Amino acid sequence: MKDDSGEKQRRKLIPRIALLACLAPVVLSLGIALSPGSPEEPAEPPFSEQARSAALAETMGLRAAGEELAASASGDAKPAVAQTVSLLTSQARALLLPGQDDPASLLPPGPATPSTAPSAGQSASASAGQSAAPLPSSAAALATELADSAAQRLADAAVTDGGMARLLSSVGTAQLLQASSLAAAAGSPAPAVPDPAAPQLSGACPSAAASPSSSPADASGPSSSPDASGPSSSPADASTASAGADGGAATLPGALAAAVRTELETVYGYQVALTRLNGEAAALASEQLARHEALAAGAEALSRVHCAPVPPREAGYTMEQDFLASPAAGLGRLEASALPVYGDLVALSEGQTRQWAIAGLVGAARRSALWGAGAGVLPGLAADPAGFPELPTPSP
């Protein structure tokens, strides 16, 4: 009887054991699901956003240094420092994101520092925050820091998305020119930062039927369609402006064709101006004529690399009367008219073509200043600074 009773007890326990065995995985899974996990790290921003943020932080740091210097500067340096602050203010507004109204978000964590071009695995924001250094305490030092900032902006422009590339190249070009002007006003040597050099062009159209928008020569560059143009509703969106005569469409073949036409017309303008200039102006014009002949040939070569049609050379161009009356000023206007053309090409290209366009943009801005024409706060970017968002006011 005792054995029968024990057997009954064991039989009664079997369903309970089975139920517990079924419930155990459920309870275990609920415990895992309800236990707090480690928080996910935020995704790293795209390189174009890192480059914009780094440019804004460094520009704001240099602007703050300029404002301090403006109070103590004297002589020729005083107006040059004030002009530098004005330029940096406009550029900071251009780099500002819509709705970015927290003053703390505009400043770098430490003093503005020069940075080196980022490598393939190094972010622009990281490069901008390398070893902290004191803010410049003289106009000459500010000119040096400004030139270093310009070099970083141009380096970032070579590898970021199209619209942001145009904005950063515009910022860098203007900063480079202003650094030279500020150093001259301070009576110091020009900053030892060279202008970007045009690459040795190479490559050929892979086939007559290939797409004109790509080529092996630029295969190593980043993807840069006009739609990937950085923050929306910002000056970077101006990169989608027309770059050619094909119905107003912003295309690489159109931008290259515009560059060819612009350089050929500029060559003709210099040839006409040389018949009316004398002395140093004539020697300078002769030197720049040779440079533009090389630029025209380079634009034609790049058109062939990209399987794009090369515009035919015209027999001549009609020059306005004011150009004939004042050829030096007319050359300045010709050079300035090339700025948006090179800006378009920066935005719509990549690889060696973009590097060539950045060098062309800086060169056109230099020559505009050489002949007395201003390049503006954002050379190559068709945007009205009055429409940029206002910088937030720091809390008292």
Side-chain angles (χ1 to χ4, degrees):
M1 295 293 292
K2 287 183 181 179
D3 290 341
D4 292 342
S5 175
E7 184 66 24
K8 288 180 181 180
Q9 297 247 347
R10 283 193 295 272
R11 288 176 180 175
K12 289 180 181 180
L13 288 175
I14 289 174
R16 296 178 185 179
I17 294 172
L19 178 61
L20 289 173
C22 293
L23 289 176
V26 176
V27 172
L28 183 62
S29 64
L30 285 174
I32 294 174
L34 294 176
S35 62
S38 57
E40 293 185 4
E41 294 185 5
E44 187 176 86
F47 180 80
S48 60
E49 171 55 22
Q50 295 180 46
R52 182 206 63 82
S53 180
L56 176 59
E58 193 161 0
T59 298
M60 289 296 294
L62 292 172
R63 175 178 177 266
E67 288 178 328
E68 289 187 10
L69 284 174
S72 58
S74 60
D76 293 340
K78 189 173 184 66
V81 170
Q83 185 180 18
T84 301
V85 171
S86 176
L87 178 138
L88 291 171
T89 300
S90 295
Q91 291 189 339
R93 291 173 59 196
L95 291 163
L96 199 64
L97 282 177
Q100 188 176 359
D101 51 7
D102 180 9
S105 69
L106 310 185
L107 295 174
T113 62
S115 53
T116 57
S119 62
Q122 180 185 23
S123 71
S125 58
S127 68
Q130 290 173 356
S131 59
L135 287 171
S137 57
S138 67
L142 179 59
T144 299
E145 297 284 352
L146 193 59
D148 288 337
S149 172
Q152 183 61 52
R153 306 293 78 80
L154 294 173
D156 288 347
V159 293
T160 191
D161 290 336
M164 189 55 63
R166 181 173 189 165
L167 176 58
L168 292 177
S169 64
S170 296
V171 169
T173 297
Q175 288 185 357
L176 201 57
L177 266 65
Q178 186 60 30
S180 298
S181 299
L182 182 58
S188 61
V193 175
D195 289 356
Q200 186 70 35
L201 301 180
S202 61
C205 175
S207 71
S211 170
S213 61
S214 62
S215 76
D218 282 352
S220 61
S223 173
S224 64
S225 67
D227 294 332
S229 57
S232 61
S233 302
S234 73
D237 294 334
S239 67
T240 57
S242 172
D246 49 342
T251 64
L252 179 55
L256 286 167
V260 171
R261 294 189 186 99
T262 297
E263 287 301 338
L264 290 177
E265 183 175 358
T266 304
V267 165
Y268 185 82
Y270 271 91
Q271 291 172 337
V272 172
L274 274 171
T275 65
R276 290 165 168 79
L277 295 172
N278 298 300
E280 292 183 5
L284 182 60
S286 180
E287 178 183 341
Q288 299 307 320
L289 170 59
R291 176 62 186 146
H292 281 288
E293 289 173 337
L295 286 169
E300 291 174 333
L302 284 171
S303 297
R304 288 188 285 270
V305 165
H306 290 280
C307 311
V310 179
R313 297 200 171 205
E314 303 289 340
Y317 300 84
T318 301
M319 309 307 293
E320 300 293 337
Q321 187 59 41
D322 56 351
F323 181 95
L324 301 176
S326 181
L331 291 175
R333 290 191 296 272
L334 265 183
E335 296 287 3
S337 69
L339 295 172
V341 175
Y342 280 107
D344 283 332
L345 191 52
V346 168
L348 296 167
S349 64
E350 54 190 35
Q352 70 164 355
T353 306
R354 181 181 289 176
Q355 292 171 344
W356 185 87
I358 290 173
L361 177 66
V362 174
R366 288 280 193 198
R367 291 186 294 271
S368 297
L370 189 66
W371 293 111
V377 297
L378 291 171
L381 185 62
D384 182 6
F388 298 160
E390 293 292 338
L391 294 176
T393 304
S395 303

